[in-house]
Amino acid sequence: MMLRAPSRGQWRAMATLLWIIAVVLVIAGIYVILARRDILWGIVLIVLGFLIGPGGVSIFNP
């Protein structure tokens, strides 16, 4: 079985998916802080969103 590098379109699709996940996490974190008054979980969700999003830490690149 031969492995090949992902194409440019696959990288773009993965980056878009990670960006969407990051946005959802940040919005969920803001909701948790404002509506549920749980500051710790809200901050955790926001930080995770920043780590996953563009310019953040990627688990796919060493």
Side-chain angles (χ1 to χ4, degrees):
M1 181 163 131
M2 187 165 196
L3 297 175
R4 57 188 168 109
S7 68
R8 185 175 206 161
Q10 289 172 331
W11 281 114
R12 185 172 290 161
M14 187 179 349
T16 302
L17 180 63
L18 287 174
W19 187 83
I20 291 169
I21 292 170
V23 169
V24 169
L25 283 172
V26 171
I27 291 172
I30 292 170
Y31 169 77
V32 167
I33 289 174
L34 293 178
R36 302 187 71 193
R37 305 280 188 212
D38 195 357
I39 295 174
L40 180 63
W41 278 112
I43 291 173
V44 167
L45 289 172
I46 291 171
V47 168
L48 281 175
F50 285 153
L51 288 174
I52 291 174
V57 177
S58 176
I59 60 174
F60 300 109
N61 293 332

